[in-house]
Amino acid sequence: MRKVRENRANRENRENRVRTITDNPCNPQAGPSAPGPSLRDAAGPPGTLTAVPQADQTSSESFPGPPRPARVRPVPLAELARRLDAVLPEDSGADGSATGITHDSRAVRPGDIYAALPGARLHGADFVAQAQSLGAVAVLTDPGGTERAAATGLPVLTVPDPRGRMGELAAAVYGEPGADLLQIGITGTSGKTTTAYLIEGGLRQAAEKDGGLTGLIGTVESRIGDERIKSERTTPEATDLQALFAVMRERGVRSVAMEVSSHALVLGRVDGCVFDIAVFNNLSPEHLDFHPDMEDYFQAKRQLFTRARSRAAVVNFDDEYGHRLITESEVPVTTFSAEGHPDADWRAEDVELGPLGSTFTAVGPEGESVPAHAPLPGPFNVANTLAAITALVAAGIDPRTAADGVAAVPGVPGRLERVDAGQDYLAVVDYAHKPDAVESVLYAIRKVTDGRVHAVLGCGGDRDPHKRPAMGSALARLSDTAVLTSDNPRSEDPLAILATMLAGAAEVPAYERGTVLVEEERAAAIDAAVARAEPGDAVLVLGKGHEQGQDIAGVVRPFDDNDVLRRAILRHTADTPQATPNASNAPTAQPSPAAPTPHRTDNQNR
């Protein structure tokens, strides 16, 4: 494999520094009694920012961790050892069999192989006794963990790189479940979540004809048919992913759309998968605390387009790195162009942008023409929609069926999600948390807003500090009111993060920037933006999207941008008859609103 697959242990150590502060049930190094804040009570598994339980997210599983299939054919340990080229001692009970696998000692079920992985501080082998007490029948580990694992008397499968073999082993344990599913994987910097939902909508439309179910795996949630399961990360660990595939197969799912992050590719989370269609949306600076540079980031994404990972590719013709990938892909490529480039296989023509979505005509390589509707606003969602249609067609679905299914998607959680509480202005929550995405969302809202734009944005702590000035600059330059606030400060001082964002905003010439407010408390910042909104304006709350918590100094507190924005709108709507633009009615936790700034037109660097 290319250089991005090398030194996997070093990459894993680096990933430990970019995880959320909350205790992670998928981190065996945390140990059964490791401290960490949680939004659940002590009896349940800990939560993360993107995994706070929702009323409409359910799971029938009584065991901790992601779902598992109910029926698994036991696989002899000797057979698994042969697959790994590992030697099992004759006196270690090697004549047994396995029915599951996990890398989390707390989530072990009877019949499991426990994958004891090396970590930054501790080794998973330190928790083999716990795994054994829960019913583990064998251990997968590296030479550094062999002695500790063998001390329990369990059979030990020793390989140089257990993380690199974990996905393959999981696929074998669960009977190669991915082979029975049409798998479409989406990668890129922006748009993965939206495109995955749109593709799943097209798959559902096609599945209605034969009664099959569809699956979705991504940042917000996983879906097995209509069952919704909270997500811990964009792409599950290999053991959980293969188990999820097996559950889908068991319950009648025939096709699945899933997000594939660069972390997943580098850390082997999609090992054991061969995607029928791999989709590339775009690439822009992101995760540069994990990847040393953009070349490394690109090479990580490129892995998805090798013969070991996929069978066919769908690539954005309009993106610089997409153009490069067209020539470097090892599998056949179908291209798409939202800009209508005539050399692309599929292109968008007659694009009409609207406040709720866009319409266009998708034109194919044989001259076929399909009316299409992007169910979310903005030019970038035209690209996401065309990517979804192209991927579905590449998978063998009729273009009209594909377009109709994509158009029927009701929305995507936290992605240009409208909040309607009866107000006479547009209110939107979006996950944009990188400079390019912030700019794209602001430009998209500008195109459909007659009045002023009031935007709220923060930057996450312990993540990509280099992008903070650019995000502050983008917000100040493209908003009439830019409210800088906290996102998830994590272990960092929120004011230090805000100071960096403010420095970026200050670099925008005064005649080009809107009013800039700084409010550390996110709820007060949202209130400040809503307080300035007038009929025909737009209020944007950016950065956290679907997330249900806010991580401050290692404690995750419940926080939902959608809910906070809605309550602020209702509060100010109720106060409207008495409202006057002075300090007496301004929220006490924020600066007093200044006089409204004139709406600036698109010829002023919009």
Side-chain angles (χ1 to χ4, degrees):
M1 205 55 80
R2 300 184 67 89
K3 68 174 184 177
V4 291
R5 300 301 304 277
E6 298 172 356
N7 300 320
R8 201 189 289 262
N10 292 337
R11 296 302 185 98
E12 181 183 1
N13 292 347
R14 223 186 307 165
E15 193 205 33
N16 287 337
R17 296 197 296 271
V18 301
R19 290 176 180 159
T20 58
I21 297 299
T22 54
D23 185 20
N24 192 327
C26 295
N27 180 5
Q29 288 75 43
S33 61
S38 172
L39 294 178
R40 300 175 183 263
D41 57 29
T48 69
L49 292 178
T50 59
V52 177
Q54 298 298 294
D56 58 353
Q57 291 179 321
T58 61
S59 175
S60 60
E61 297 295 319
S62 58
F63 287 93
R68 300 273 198 97
R71 299 177 298 277
V72 180
R73 179 186 68 84
V75 182
L77 294 178
E79 178 182 329
L80 298 174
R82 284 193 298 271
R83 178 183 286 264
L84 296 172
D85 294 324
V87 177
L88 284 170
E90 294 182 1
D91 60 349
S92 66
D95 57 345
S97 58
T99 54
I101 179 172
T102 182
H103 58 285
D104 182 353
S105 63
R106 296 162 294 181
V108 168
R109 304 185 187 189
D112 275 2
I113 295 173
Y114 168 51
L117 309 177
R121 296 179 293 107
L122 298 171
H123 198 293
D126 295 326
F127 307 103
V128 173
Q130 181 189 30
Q132 183 182 36
S133 71
L134 293 173
V137 297
V139 180
L140 171 70
T141 192
D142 66 346
T146 299
E147 184 176 347
R148 279 169 286 177
T152 64
L154 289 175
V156 180
L157 301 167
T158 302
V159 294
D161 179 15
R163 178 176 282 279
R165 307 302 297 276
M166 196 165 66
E168 171 193 355
L169 193 64
V173 167
Y174 295 118
E176 308 294 341
D180 296 317
L181 303 172
L182 168 65
Q183 300 176 63
I184 302 179
I186 305 99
T187 199
T189 302
S190 300
K192 293 189 298 296
T193 298
T194 297
T195 304
Y197 272 85
L198 298 178
I199 289 175
E200 197 261 349
L203 293 174
R204 280 186 176 237
Q205 186 84 359
E208 288 181 358
K209 298 179 180 180
D210 56 19
L213 299 178
T214 61
L216 174 74
I217 302 172
T219 303
V220 178
E221 63 186 353
S222 292
R223 289 183 179 177
I224 306 172
D226 290 328
E227 180 182 0
R228 304 175 65 190
I229 303 164
K230 62 185 180 295
S231 289
E232 299 289 346
R233 48 169 58 90
T234 296
T235 309
E237 285 286 1
T239 54
D240 298 332
L241 179 60
Q242 294 299 326
L244 189 54
F245 283 162
V247 173
M248 288 181 175
R249 178 180 63 183
E250 188 175 77
R251 298 185 188 176
V253 170
R254 299 181 184 177
S255 57
V256 58
M258 67 173 286
E259 300 177 53
V260 183
S261 66
S262 62
H263 289 67
L265 290 159
V266 172
L267 297 172
R269 294 178 191 159
V270 290
D271 287 356
C273 299
V274 180
F275 292 91
D276 295 282
I277 307 293
V279 181
F280 179 86
N281 279 343
N282 50 65
L283 201 72
S284 61
E286 174 77 330
H287 302 307
L288 296 182
D289 49 356
F290 180 77
H291 299 284
D293 51 40
M294 285 297 292
E295 179 62 20
D296 187 81
Y297 187 25
F298 172 75
Q299 291 298 338
K301 297 290 191 182
R302 182 186 174 278
Q303 284 190 55
L304 189 58
F305 302 88
T306 60
R307 284 184 288 272
R309 299 283 192 195
S310 62
R311 297 184 176 91
V314 168
V315 176
N316 186 355
F317 190 91
D318 301 327
D319 184 79
E320 175 187 357
Y321 284 96
H323 239 282
R324 178 177 169 185
L325 187 58
I326 292 169
T327 61
E328 296 186 17
S329 172
E330 295 181 8
V331 297
V333 174
T334 301
T335 59
F336 66 93
S337 170
E339 297 177 4
H341 199 289
D343 291 338
D345 296 308
W346 283 86
R347 61 188 184 275
E349 295 185 353
D350 305 321
V351 178
E352 294 187 10
L353 302 176
L356 303 180
S358 305
T359 61
F360 64 96
T361 301
V363 180
E366 305 301 323
E368 55 268 62
S369 179
V370 180
H373 171 70
L376 289 87
F380 54 92
N381 279 315
V382 173
N384 292 334
T385 300
L386 185 58
I389 293 171
T390 305
L392 291 162
V393 173
I397 295 174
D398 173 74
R400 186 57 185 263
T401 299
D404 288 347
V406 168
V409 174
V412 180
R415 273 63 178 177
L416 284 176
E417 185 175 3
R418 294 189 68 195
V419 176
D420 189 353
Q423 76 278 9
D424 49 10
Y425 52 87
L426 179 66
V428 172
V429 169
D430 191 80
Y431 190 54
H433 59 282
K434 59 186 78 73
D436 286 355
V438 170
E439 290 188 3
S440 295
V441 169
L442 286 167
Y443 277 123
I445 295 300
R446 274 284 175 202
K447 289 181 178 293
V448 296
T449 301
D450 293 329
R452 300 175 302 158
V453 173
H454 315 282
V456 178
L457 177 69
C459 290
D462 304 330
R463 302 286 192 277
D464 290 355
H466 68 278
K467 71 183 181 184
R468 295 170 187 170
M471 291 176 68
S473 172
L475 201 73
R477 181 166 45 86
L478 298 172
S479 305
D480 294 291
T481 305
V483 188
L484 308 181
T485 190
S486 294
D487 188 279
N488 297 306
R490 301 184 177 90
S491 67
E492 290 194 58
D493 181 348
L495 290 180
I497 297 173
L498 285 168
T500 308
M501 295 183 68
L502 185 60
E507 293 177 358
V508 179
Y511 66 88
E512 291 184 11
R513 67 174 182 252
T515 299
V516 177
L517 305 179
V518 177
E519 174 50 69
E520 179 182 350
E521 294 294 331
R522 190 170 181 89
I526 293 171
D527 198 88
V530 171
R532 288 174 162 257
E534 297 178 351
D537 287 359
V539 173
L540 281 72
V541 180
L542 306 176
K544 290 173 59 60
H546 62 280
E547 292 180 357
Q548 302 290 304
Q550 187 177 25
D551 187 338
I552 303 175
V555 177
V556 179
R557 300 167 172 83
F559 196 101
D560 181 345
D561 278 353
N562 190 305
D563 180 60
V564 174
L565 176 56
R566 181 179 301 276
R567 285 190 282 112
I569 292 169
L570 291 172
R571 183 166 55 252
H572 283 278
T573 300
D575 292 343
T576 296
Q578 291 79 34
T580 56
N582 58 43
S584 63
N585 61 34
T588 58
Q590 67 184 48
S592 300
T597 54
H599 173 59
R600 291 170 293 136
T601 58
D602 284 347
N603 64 357
Q604 293 178 293
N605 293 306
R606 290 299 176 192

